[in-house]
Amino acid sequence: MTTDVRVDLYPSRGAAEMATPRQDPVIWSTPGAPGPVAVKDLQGFERDGFLTVDQLITPDEVSVLRAELDRLIADPAVRADERSVIEPSSQEVRSVFEVHRISEVFARLVEDERVVGRARQILGSDVYVHQSRINVKPGFGASGFYWHSDFETWHAEDGLPHMRTVSVSIALTENHDTNGGLMIMPGSHKSFLGCAGATPEDNYKKSLKMQDAGTPSDEALTRMADRHGIRLFTGPAGSATWFDCNCMHGSGDNITPYPRSNVFIVFNSVENTAEEPFAASARRPEFIGAREFTPVG
């Protein structure tokens, strides 16, 4: 009798940090496949791990989404729900997860071809939403997100086997160079950095407020920054940044008076559905890592 042994292509959460070359494509669709992303932009995404769209949605659409964001964070029932993450210092809402399930407005955005069409083209298949959230980064002290690769967590704690996942951050307020904008190390998606240290039980309860497990060492981050550089993304409300699941990225605190709010959607290929975690004792809740794999649209 033989027993199938699952192969872990991207070991992490061990005794020491370990770099592994990327084992998966970046662009999964065949060359020339139809879609809203131009060939040169796909080539840039392959090289850098991200692409930007100056105006993905219109000012009128931004207004509707902003109003819905304001409605959600003002709703006491939403604030009390486990989907909401509260800033430890200010006690303001930091994030609300699974917004495409609790809001028809954000559900329509997920299904918009300008959004989901780019995900299908990059990933070369139908897609489902692995995670969605609104990030509310109010002024005067909202904390940032420390450097990390999303895939490291989604692989270790959610069980995504391959790098066939793409995220989009759509700005609902202007992204200045001073209010805690997204930073990415271009080209960092080509190598996986397995982080040191075991995954604590119920790690998500802490990591959604302040990430610790699954973060690289200062030495590794310095080497990566020296090699790849750091790109800071700015732009008006309605602009968007698409980035590969393995990009090393983060954002700083926002100590300005100007909020930085965005909607964040993670699309995963239906051919890359979540398995059991690769480096955690239990799955994270489904509002963080979906276990419903119905294709969008």
Side-chain angles (χ1 to χ4, degrees):
M1 181 178 179
T2 59
T3 302
D4 291 336
V5 177
R6 186 170 65 157
V7 176
D8 184 355
L9 296 176
Y10 301 104
S12 192
R13 311 286 173 99
E17 284 182 323
M18 183 173 68
T20 303
R22 186 183 183 113
Q23 306 295 303
D24 295 306
V26 177
I27 303 296
W28 288 77
S29 59
T30 58
V37 185
V39 171
K40 64 178 181 61
D41 291 330
L42 285 177
Q43 292 170 342
F45 189 91
E46 163 75 32
R47 180 188 66 245
D48 298 328
F50 59 81
L51 67 87
T52 58
V53 180
D54 290 338
Q55 187 182 66
L56 182 69
I57 56 176
T58 68
D60 287 344
E61 291 170 317
V62 169
S63 296
V64 171
L65 293 167
R66 277 288 304 279
E68 180 68 353
L69 180 150
D70 292 341
R71 182 189 73 80
L72 289 171
I73 64 175
D75 185 340
V78 172
R79 180 185 176 90
D81 193 282
E82 64 176 350
R83 297 179 180 90
S84 294
V85 180
I86 308 301
E87 282 280 357
S89 55
S90 68
Q91 293 300 299
E92 294 189 69
V93 174
R94 173 184 175 93
S95 303
V96 180
F97 281 78
E98 215 170 35
V99 289
H100 72 295
R101 293 196 180 278
I102 64 176
S103 165
E104 292 184 3
V105 174
F106 286 107
R108 289 195 296 270
L109 178 66
V110 165
E111 296 172 353
D112 192 305
E113 189 61 25
R114 292 170 296 179
V115 177
V116 70
R118 285 177 166 83
R120 292 192 190 106
Q121 188 179 4
I122 291 168
L123 301 180
S125 70
D126 283 335
V127 297
Y128 71 93
V129 177
H130 177 69
Q131 184 187 105
S132 72
R133 67 178 186 260
I134 46 175
N135 291 323
V136 187
K137 208 170 191 181
F140 298 118
S143 55
F145 293 86
Y146 197 70
W147 290 105
H148 64 285
S149 154
D150 287 330
F151 180 76
E152 194 280 336
T153 295
W154 299 338
H155 181 72
E157 300 186 38
D158 295 339
L160 297 190
H162 294 281
M163 294 180 181
R164 200 171 180 178
T165 314
V166 67
S167 302
V168 60
S169 174
I170 304 172
L172 301 182
T173 56
E174 185 165 357
N175 285 252
H176 302 284
D177 58 4
T178 53
N179 65 342
L182 173 68
M183 296 181 288
I184 294 178
M185 297 185 187
S188 59
H189 62 305
K190 296 293 184 71
S191 179
F192 175 77
L193 183 63
C195 297
T199 306
E201 186 175 354
D202 290 336
N203 180 51
Y204 74 93
K205 293 180 179 179
K206 179 182 178 182
S207 67
L208 299 182
K209 298 178 182 179
M210 184 65 67
Q211 186 142 354
D212 185 14
T215 56
S217 67
D218 291 351
E219 293 78 13
L221 287 170
T222 299
R223 289 193 300 269
M224 294 180 76
D226 287 345
R227 178 180 179 185
H228 299 292
I230 297 173
R231 167 80 182 271
L232 170 66
F233 294 87
T234 60
S239 60
T241 303
W242 291 84
F243 58 101
D244 180 85
C245 59
N246 191 44
C247 282
M248 191 60 66
H249 67 287
S251 64
D253 296 349
N254 182 13
I255 61 172
T256 75
Y258 310 112
R260 177 185 170 262
S261 298
N262 68 300
V263 54
F264 181 76
I265 307 164
V266 181
F267 292 102
N268 188 37
S269 169
V270 297
E271 299 173 12
N272 187 46
T273 54
E275 303 174 358
E276 291 305 309
F278 283 85
S281 60
R283 302 173 177 181
R284 296 196 299 174
E286 292 191 26
F287 70 85
I288 303 173
R291 296 283 163 172
E292 165 59 51
F293 310 132
T294 303
V296 175

